[in-house]
Amino acid sequence: MYTQSFSVPDGSDDAKSAGLKAVPKALSAQDAALQAQFDARIDADGRIEPREWMPEAYRKTLVRQISQHAHSEIVGMLPEGNWISRAPSLKRKAILIAKVQDEGGHGLYLYSAAETLGTSRDQMLDALHTGKAKYSSIFNYPTLNWADVGVVGWLVDGAAIMNQVPLCRCSYGPYARAMVRVCKEESFHQRQGYEALLVMMQGTAEQKTMVQDAVNRWWWKCLAMFGPPDADSPNSAQGMRWGIKRISNDDLRQKFVDATVPQAKVLGVTLPDPDLKWNEARQAHDYGQIDWDEFWATVNGNGPCNKERLGARVKAWNDGAWVREAALAHAKKQQARQMKEAA
Amino acid sequence: MSTPALKEWPLWEVFVRSKQGLEHKHCGSLHASDSEHALQMARDVYTRRQEGVSIWVVPSASISASEPNDKPEFFDPASDKVYRHPTFYVIPDEVGHM
């Protein structure tokens, strides 16, 4: 599904590992040459590949961002998975299962991309399960009615696509290629979500109320997904310099608002913002203030579902340990048997 | 570079040949306990929308890659041997397509 458009420092001990503010170590002559080569490649809009030299801070930032993205895909299966057994028709249930299956695949692509940077999946999962690594704040909100599933497709995945399309041109090759694959499938998610809502909006008064209620609860949280305002986003400049980030948080957010307003109109819902209006001079929509305190509370573990989400992940991991071990033991036995036969 | 935890399933590289494709193309990697498991996972993850008709999985540890730093020297000899290309040879027009 989806990434937070910016990379949140993981644990407290990790805050300094980004190394952005640290005094740079004196570079040896060889390192300086490599650094110059790297900078030239970035300036020429070239791709960096796994076995090439890269600054340590670039590597760490990417590991953090890509693994956060992967974790978001995996945790993001939970709020939607919540409705699989209660989907209102067999068709909607099959669609939802296919979508959640895609999210699992997206997580896999992204973990693989992160692994090319020299981390292992078990290390990343361990960071997630011990609360050291973040995932997108949006998945800490509950899905309270069936319309939420459609709204998550339309708005949450819609915001994700806004974020991810520029990432297809990210300077790190494996991440960019993973995003190309993800974006293709993501557009299925957004369209199916929107279509599910369109059907409900042609239904009974209760169904329409459900859709509006879901939009009211998710709208502001989706705007916050683009990350803090540019002025409060000190890491963005570095991300831009490195070609990881292509468009600023505020610019992406504006694009999202401008794209979504006409979609809401077609759907027949209102967006819960009295300050939302077209600005002729800017040729863009003005919108109200985002509640950043709530956003940061959620990012820092105090949203409505943080404990539940992480708890579900940790339980699945712990309860599944014996199955993973059994698969490995079986593989070893098969291998030993083959060796014996070959001998 | 860290060594993966001992209990982790090994990493596999996945190559898929599409229905009209002439060759297998690398499309990603995954962790699986053995090759059969890897094939099944690759089927589910990478060919869910009929992307391919044939899958190869290879343990990542079995792959050797060329060194990025050697790129210029390693691939250089190709550029000064233009006689390897059919367009280097001039054939009279009356010979027709050859």
Side-chain angles (χ1 to χ4, degrees), chain A residues 51 102 112 115 122 185, chain B residues 2 8 29 31 48-49 67:
Chain A
R51 291 163 56 81
D102 280 351
S112 299
E115 280 182 301
D122 276 9
E185 297 180 342
Chain B
S2 45
E8 196 160 16
S29 50
H31 287 273
R48 207 156 56 247
R49 292 182 173 85
E67 281 295 334

Side-chain angles (χ1 to χ4, degrees), chain B residues 16-19 43 46-53:
Chain B
V16 172
R17 181 164 61 80
S18 64
K19 217 178 279 175
R43 194 268 321 263
Y46 291 110
T47 64
R48 207 156 56 247
R49 292 182 173 85
Q50 296 192 308
E51 287 94 337
V53 291

Side-chain angles (χ1 to χ4, degrees), chain A residues 57-328:
Chain A
Y58 176 82
R59 182 187 299 277
K60 277 185 174 151
T61 296
L62 278 170
V63 167
R64 189 171 59 226
Q65 183 172 335
I66 301 173
S67 67
Q68 260 172 35
H69 193 164
H71 297 331
S72 302
E73 301 284 356
I74 299 304
V75 176
M77 295 163 85
L78 297 169
E80 292 184 290
N82 185 34
W83 280 90
I84 288 178
S85 64
R86 293 176 286 176
S89 72
L90 188 55
K91 175 184 157 182
R92 294 290 163 200
K93 183 185 282 206
I95 291 171
L96 185 56
I97 292 171
K99 179 181 176 186
V100 173
Q101 192 185 16
D102 280 351
E103 314 292 6
H106 295 175
L108 187 150
Y109 311 151
L110 289 159
Y111 283 125
S112 299
E115 280 182 301
T116 64
L117 290 159
T119 179
S120 82
R121 185 169 317 184
D122 276 9
Q123 284 175 329
M124 291 185 267
L125 286 175
D126 186 62
L128 172 68
H129 295 154
T130 53
K132 261 168 74 186
K134 304 276 191 227
Y135 54 88
S136 174
S137 60
I138 199 80
F139 301 121
N140 291 312
Y141 296 103
T143 41
L144 300 178
N145 78 41
W146 168 250
D148 284 38
V149 174
V151 168
V152 166
W154 172 39
L155 294 180
V156 176
D157 292 334
I161 293 172
M162 277 294 166
N163 273 331
Q164 288 171 351
V165 168
L167 284 173
C168 295
R169 294 182 292 122
C170 162
S171 62
Y172 188 59
Y175 192 26
R177 288 190 289 273
M179 291 327 301
V180 170
R181 193 179 281 280
V182 168
C183 283
K184 275 190 209 157
E185 297 180 342
E186 213 59 72
S187 110
F188 144 63
H189 300 173
Q190 193 189 14
R191 292 169 66 109
Q192 70 83 12
Y194 190 71
E195 192 247 13
L197 297 177
L198 272 175
V199 170
M200 290 184 79
M201 289 304 287
Q202 285 151 16
T204 63
E206 283 96 336
Q207 286 175 306
K208 291 178 194 171
T209 308
M210 278 168 79
V211 175
Q212 185 63 61
D213 171 57
V215 171
N216 291 349
R217 280 181 290 108
W218 289 91
W219 172 248
W220 287 105
K221 289 147 180 87
C222 290
L223 290 192
M225 273 169 65
F226 292 93
D230 295 346
D232 308 334
S233 185
N235 292 351
S236 287
Q238 183 67 79
M240 293 262 197
R241 173 68 191 89
W242 276 332
I244 297 172
K245 199 171 171 55
R246 298 282 176 167
I247 305 178
S248 81
N249 295 352
D250 284 336
D251 287 350
L252 281 169
R253 188 165 17 242
Q254 183 70 58
K255 273 171 71 138
F256 176 72
V257 172
D258 292 339
T260 309
V261 167
Q263 294 165 2
K265 209 170 157 194
V266 172
L267 199 55
V269 294
T270 56
L271 298 170
D273 179 359
D275 297 326
L276 182 68
K277 61 170 183 297
W278 178 250
N279 182 326
E280 192 59 33
R282 281 200 315 128
Q283 288 294 301
H285 291 87
D286 292 334
Y287 53 90
Q289 271 298 315
I290 294 168
D291 183 350
W292 291 111
D293 291 341
E294 189 212 307
F295 172 78
W296 286 114
T298 306
V299 168
N300 291 323
N302 301 314
C305 300
N306 296 55
K307 285 201 174 66
E308 186 187 331
R309 300 290 186 238
L310 203 54
R313 276 302 316 159
V314 170
K315 183 176 184 325
W317 180 255
N318 291 342
D319 292 356
W322 70 270
V323 180
R324 294 192 301 276
E325 282 161 21
L328 260 191

Side-chain angles (χ1 to χ4, degrees), chain A residues 7-78:
Chain A
S7 191
V8 185
D10 286 336
S12 51
D13 55 4
D14 225 30
K16 52 184 181 294
S17 72
L20 297 174
K21 285 171 197 138
V23 180
K25 271 182 288 185
L27 294 177
S28 71
Q30 200 199 0
D31 281 354
L34 289 167
Q35 176 77 51
Q37 209 175 23
F38 174 86
D39 289 342
R41 178 82 61 82
I42 296 285
D43 289 341
D45 215 10
R47 290 265 194 277
I48 307 296
E49 293 298 334
R51 291 163 56 81
E52 291 172 312
W53 185 90
M54 61 189 86
E56 222 20 62
Y58 176 82
R59 182 187 299 277
K60 277 185 174 151
T61 296
L62 278 170
V63 167
R64 189 171 59 226
Q65 183 172 335
I66 301 173
S67 67
Q68 260 172 35
H69 193 164
H71 297 331
S72 302
E73 301 284 356
I74 299 304
V75 176
M77 295 163 85
L78 297 169

Side-chain angles (χ1 to χ4, degrees), chain B residues 4-89:
Chain B
L6 276 175
K7 279 157 92 185
E8 196 160 16
W9 289 344
L11 190 64
W12 302 76
E13 300 301 322
V14 181
F15 299 81
V16 172
R17 181 164 61 80
S18 64
K19 217 178 279 175
Q20 273 90 34
L22 291 174
E23 71 287 280
H24 286 74
K25 271 174 127 172
H26 182 245
C27 65
S29 50
L30 48 80
H31 287 273
S33 58
D34 60 21
S35 58
E36 208 178 317
H37 186 201
L39 275 175
Q40 204 151 52
M41 301 231 308
R43 194 268 321 263
D44 290 345
V45 176
Y46 291 110
T47 64
R48 207 156 56 247
R49 292 182 173 85
Q50 296 192 308
E51 287 94 337
V53 291
S54 167
I55 303 175
W56 291 344
V57 291
V58 183
S60 301
S62 309
I63 292 182
S64 309
S66 58
E67 281 295 334
N69 291 339
D70 298 345
K71 210 172 354 184
E73 300 90 324
F74 200 67
F75 297 103
D76 186 49
S79 60
D80 58 0
K81 294 184 175 61
V82 282
Y83 49 84
R84 285 172 169 171
H85 298 276
T87 45
F88 179 75
Y89 303 95

